Amino acid sequence: MTIRILPAVGDPDAARTVSALLSQLPDAEPAPAVADSTALVDALAAAAQGAGAPSPAGPAAAVEALPEVVLVHERIGPTPALELIREVALRFPAVGVVLITADAGPALFSAAMDAGARGIVGLPLGYDELAARVQAAAQWSAGVRVHLGGNPDAAPGPSGTLVTVTGAKGGVGTTVTAVHLALAARAAGRSVALVDLDLQSGDVASYLDVQFRRSVVDLAGISDISVRVLQDAVHDHHTGLGLLLAPEEGERGEEVDDRAARQIIGALRSRYEVVLVDCGSQMQSANAAAVELADVALLVTTPDVVAVRAAKRQVRLWDRLQIRKAEETTTVVNRLTRNTEIQPPLVAKATGTQVARTHVPAAFKELQPCVDAGRMQDLDGRSTVKQALWALAGELGLVDAPAARQGRGSHRARPSLTGRKRKAIAAGAAPGSGTGPGPAPGAVPGSAAGSGSRFGVRRGSAAAAGGPGPFDPAGPYEEG
């Protein structure tokens, strides 16, 4: 949705600053600034009457002709800013008004809200704050217009959660992580879009066995991405995911710049509750913009020196480009084993980032059949990798607690088998001995010590020999 913005700024220097910042908004269409309150009211009235309606409360065409957002500078005249906001809110109720002021204290904030403003932007102006207030006012305006009989395609809906997944280097498991986080969120009942912004070598389509014609490039040259345009470009996967894929021709990825990426992500967030973006490992303007906008930015690494150094370089790059601060980044440690020398606390210390509490184990044998078949959605629920990634989704708030535990019941059957064998071992111990499994006192080593104690005899023999048995309760449980 294109956001039409009408600034009302009397100070020429402030007007230039506002116009420069508005021109950077990816989905904004700013009009030339008006210099006083009279010019603002006349411009709004002319827009409504130009649509063929005598008043802005008339037909929907008159409402749609008005700008979505009006910016009012505190030094506007001759009408005081708060009085002007009240007049605009009463005469043009479908227009969201944002006040620009140097005093953003609670008293003025309350007075502005009472007058009908939808937000306040403090001086000096900053891009992030201005963009957030303008987008919030535009979404409110679009919702009001829908109720007044406007364009249903403009219905904004709640802004979705944006999660980016970036690899410290190639081959650390970025795409597998992104795919399973998306599948977990979808299994929890959320509407999910999975976007492949690894524009030169994206593999989301290969992991989900998708044959596609359209890609993210098809949206790059469109200035106003409506719901219908988005539906044409997004592939509806049978798992329920909406897939916006990377181009098959990698060289076409250059057509997606940061402005296009911001607009595409904004359109997706207005339609989906969760938007997962696979950013790959190479930073370009498009995926850099995604990381900057993200509610949660994940950095995937493996616990080896080369990958951790690459993660540190990535974090420093984001900091130099003012994309993301290290403390605002969450690192996911993939392929972790108990014997790995580099453990998560060392990764956190080296990169300066937060490390997710959930770590993904090294178990490629579980993944290989699904990877080779290109059907990552068919990964067994007993897989330790799937369980870890779905638990990570729960840690990030993408799923509710019950959904985060899906698939664990069948896996628990494996350690429970070990528990039954422990009981069988314990059956061979003398009652009340408390010394663990072993042959009963007086029993002949290697002979059966009662019904059902065959495993206990074997274990007792091994323990008597001074070595651990094949089913050591004190040892770690490891899958074959």
Side-chain angles (χ1 to χ4, degrees):
M1 180 185 72
T2 301
I3 304 174
R4 294 165 295 177
I5 306 171
L6 178 58
V9 184
D11 185 4
D13 294 334
R16 283 192 293 270
T17 302
V18 170
S19 298
L21 289 175
L22 292 179
S23 64
Q24 299 178 26
L25 295 179
D27 48 358
E29 187 179 290
V34 296
D36 54 58
S37 58
T38 303
L40 173 62
V41 174
D42 291 343
L44 294 175
Q49 293 175 0
S55 70
V63 175
E64 290 299 318
L66 293 168
E68 283 80 11
V69 180
V70 167
L71 300 178
V72 176
H73 194 271
E74 63 178 356
R75 295 183 181 178
I76 196 69
T79 305
L82 293 180
E83 292 296 326
L84 177 61
I85 292 173
R86 183 175 289 104
E87 181 179 0
V88 172
L90 291 174
R91 294 185 58 185
F92 311 96
V95 176
V97 185
V98 177
L99 175 63
I100 301 175
T101 178
D103 179 18
L108 181 60
F109 181 85
S110 178
M113 295 301 105
D114 290 341
R118 303 306 308 173
I120 290 182
V121 179
L123 292 172
L125 291 175
Y127 174 85
D128 292 337
E129 184 181 13
L130 180 62
R133 299 296 177 268
V134 166
Q135 290 172 358
Q139 288 184 350
W140 174 86
S141 175
V144 171
R145 294 171 192 225
V146 170
H147 289 291
L148 293 177
N151 183 9
D153 287 348
S159 181
T161 302
L162 175 61
V163 180
T164 58
V165 185
T166 307
K169 57 186 289 294
V172 296
T174 308
T175 302
V176 172
T177 301
V179 167
H180 273 285
L181 290 179
L183 290 172
R186 183 69 191 104
R190 308 281 181 88
S191 57
V192 183
L194 178 58
V195 186
D196 196 348
L197 279 185
D198 187 2
L199 297 173
Q200 292 187 349
S201 54
D203 285 324
V204 169
S206 299
Y207 277 98
L208 292 175
D209 191 24
V210 174
Q211 300 293 331
F212 65 99
R213 295 183 299 105
R214 298 188 180 277
S215 70
V216 66
V217 175
D218 295 310
L219 297 177
I222 300 176
S223 58
D224 187 6
I225 302 178
S226 66
V227 174
R228 293 187 181 89
V229 171
L230 199 61
Q231 288 176 340
D232 290 339
V234 174
H235 175 81
D236 293 326
H237 196 253
H238 66 83
T239 59
L241 298 178
L243 303 180
L244 187 56
L245 302 169
E248 189 173 1
E249 303 85 7
E251 65 274 11
R252 295 195 62 194
E254 298 179 357
E255 301 176 24
V256 185
D257 56 8
D258 57 339
R259 181 184 178 90
R262 291 176 185 272
Q263 186 173 2
I264 292 168
I265 290 173
L268 290 169
R269 294 182 73 179
S270 67
R271 183 183 176 196
Y272 294 91
E273 295 177 83
V274 178
V275 179
L276 264 296
V277 180
D278 180 2
C279 294
S281 58
Q282 299 296 323
M283 279 293 100
Q284 301 168 340
S285 59
N287 48 23
V291 173
E292 183 181 6
L293 295 172
D295 299 304
V296 179
L298 299 181
L299 181 61
V300 182
T301 185
T302 50
D304 57 83
V305 173
V306 176
V308 173
R309 285 179 176 173
K312 188 175 182 179
R313 286 197 305 269
Q314 192 77 273
V315 170
R316 288 180 173 178
L317 173 64
W318 291 353
D319 185 64
R320 289 196 304 271
L321 298 179
Q322 297 183 352
I323 296 173
R324 198 96 184 173
K325 295 180 180 179
E327 57 270 20
E328 298 174 353
T329 303
T330 302
T331 300
V332 179
V333 181
N334 188 23
R335 300 173 193 159
L336 184 68
T337 64
R338 186 173 300 179
N339 299 323
T340 303
E341 292 186 8
I342 299 178
Q343 290 295 316
L346 183 57
V347 176
K349 183 178 180 181
T351 60
T353 63
Q354 304 176 14
V355 174
R357 297 188 303 272
T358 305
H359 315 306
V360 185
F364 183 72
K365 288 183 179 179
E366 300 175 358
L367 294 173
Q368 188 170 5
C370 296
V371 171
D372 292 342
R375 296 183 61 84
M376 190 56 61
Q377 67 272 18
D378 293 339
L379 185 61
D380 195 340
R382 295 173 295 180
S383 165
T384 57
V385 175
K386 180 175 181 178
Q387 290 180 15
L389 290 174
W390 285 43
L392 176 62
E395 180 181 339
L396 299 176
L398 301 180
V399 301
D400 299 328
R405 294 194 296 265
Q406 286 185 4
R408 293 189 179 183
S410 57
H411 179 68
R412 288 173 181 167
R414 296 189 177 188
S416 66
L417 288 174
T418 306
R420 288 198 294 271
K421 292 172 182 175
R422 290 177 182 174
K423 292 179 181 179
I425 294 169
S433 64
T435 58
V444 179
S447 64
S451 175
S453 62
R454 179 166 57 91
F455 291 111
V457 171
R458 291 183 180 178
R459 178 56 185 269
S461 302
F471 304 102
D472 185 4
Y477 173 73
E478 297 182 359
E479 297 184 24

